Amino acid sequence: MTRAQFDQQLNLLGAHIQHGPANDRIYLISLGNASPGPLLDALNALALQHGYGKIIAKLPEHKAGLFLAYGFSEEARIPNFYQGQDAVFLARYQDKTRQFRNMPELDTLLERARADIKPDFHSPAEVSRCREEDLPQMARLYAEVFPSYPFPIEDPEFLRQSMASDVDYFGIRQQGRLIALASAEKDPKSLSAEMTDFATLPQARGQGCARALLAHMEQAILHQGYRTAYTIARAVSVGMNRTFAAADYRYGGRLHLNTQIGGQIESMNLWHKLLV
């Protein structure tokens, strides 16, 4: 994808949003100090301007009423995300054909992910936090693993900027070469972290890299005072969903046709875990 296709981030009437043509949606990340009524009108106008098929909003449950009255419906939630308040993920579909509610094939994959879990896991892999000198290798690995992604993670400069903010990257190496990566995208306000950007080179798969990375990242953010870990995983990936199910994450719902990844817009499963 070209840089112009990736989501733009901006402040809209005091709220933090992302929007872009690749995901064909608007994502309200944080309500901030925005007034819901005017914000909803502005979100609708922006969606009509760009022809987006979906608006999705993450917000505290007690702020959901006006969104629900505006035609949004709940797709997922994380309990006790905002100092005792649940976070709800609400969606409204401008393109009704995208509202894909009956998905027996994805439900079947979810059940497969929950089955045959081996709870005792000990990986010989050594996980370490990535540094600025790792950026070129990180970008090459992500470019090799993902044909497309919601953000330009194959760009070392993008990785540098995210690393300088609240994103911690972790990797596994063999003979000095990175073979697997993941990141913890931290939110100091909610004391939560999204466990994301998992990527393993094809020749290193089946070795438990994702589970090793996840276990290490949980301990790293717990020591920094974070309370909640969550992920938004590709619903079609039995292995990725099994990784979180095996680590005692709870299934929180599905975001329908939500994210451009692997060359197409896919549905995503939400998993969450209270660390303390």
Side-chain angles (χ1 to χ4, degrees):
M1 291 190 295
T2 66
R3 175 78 58 168
Q5 290 177 297
F6 290 109
D7 278 0
Q8 303 174 47
Q9 299 199 37
L10 69 148
N11 182 295
L12 182 67
L13 303 181
H16 179 203
I17 73 164
Q18 295 175 349
H19 72 98
N23 292 308
D24 186 27
R25 61 157 163 78
I26 301 169
Y27 180 17
L28 170 61
I29 300 171
S30 172
L31 193 58
N33 59 7
S35 176
L39 177 63
L40 282 162
D41 290 337
L43 290 171
N44 185 61
L46 184 63
L48 290 173
Q49 176 187 346
H50 293 279
Y52 293 140
K54 181 178 183 178
I55 305 172
I56 185 162
K58 181 183 77 177
L59 64 161
E61 184 177 25
H62 73 281
K63 297 282 190 178
L66 198 54
F67 284 79
L68 295 171
Y70 206 88
F72 284 73
S73 57
E74 182 177 328
E75 290 195 325
R77 70 168 53 214
I78 303 175
N80 302 314
F81 189 82
Y82 299 107
Q83 298 178 350
Q85 274 281 327
D86 289 5
V88 292
F89 290 74
L90 307 180
R92 195 180 83 173
Y93 293 84
Q94 314 293 96
D95 174 6
K96 299 301 182 184
T97 64
R98 184 164 170 171
Q99 194 167 3
F100 199 57
R101 293 203 174 278
N102 298 318
M103 297 181 290
E105 67 278 10
L106 294 182
D107 290 338
T108 298
L109 294 176
L110 177 61
E111 290 309 309
R112 282 179 54 196
R114 288 166 152 168
D116 300 324
I117 291 173
K118 299 177 178 60
D120 295 326
F121 171 74
H122 303 283
S123 172
E126 291 190 10
V127 179
S128 59
R129 186 169 172 181
C130 295
R131 306 296 177 186
E132 193 164 317
E133 57 266 27
D134 298 314
L135 290 168
Q137 271 200 73
M138 293 166 61
R140 285 195 297 271
L141 189 153
Y142 279 131
E144 182 172 343
V145 170
F146 293 114
S148 68
Y149 206 70
F151 303 100
I153 55 174
E154 79 291 345
D155 180 355
E157 184 54 35
F158 172 82
L159 296 173
R160 185 191 316 276
Q161 292 173 10
S162 60
M163 190 181 284
S165 60
D166 285 310
V167 183
D168 295 345
Y169 290 90
F170 296 85
I172 295 173
R173 293 170 171 81
Q174 280 184 354
Q175 298 178 340
R177 182 192 179 204
L178 280 171
I179 61 166
L181 286 170
S183 74
E185 189 171 325
K186 300 176 294 183
D187 177 9
K189 291 183 179 179
S190 62
L191 294 180
S192 68
E194 181 178 359
M195 312 305 238
T196 186
D197 301 332
F198 285 83
T200 302
L201 291 176
Q203 61 270 30
R205 290 172 189 166
Q207 301 177 24
C209 291
R211 290 185 70 174
L213 285 163
L214 180 59
H216 187 96
M217 292 195 300
E218 285 180 357
Q219 291 303 307
I221 65 169
L222 181 61
H223 290 155
Q224 295 177 51
Y226 287 82
R227 296 173 52 85
T228 302
Y230 72 99
T231 196
I232 299 173
R234 299 168 73 182
V236 297
S237 173
V238 172
M240 201 70 250
N241 285 274
R242 182 173 286 151
T243 292
F244 286 90
D248 296 325
Y249 282 68
R250 294 180 177 271
Y251 175 69
R254 182 173 299 137
L255 310 180
H256 305 301
L257 294 175
N258 191 74
T259 305
Q260 164 71 238
I261 187 168
Q264 60 186 349
I265 294 178
E266 296 191 12
S267 296
M268 311 294 285
N269 290 337
L270 186 142
W271 298 85
H272 57 84
K273 181 178 183 178
L274 186 63
L275 299 176
V276 293

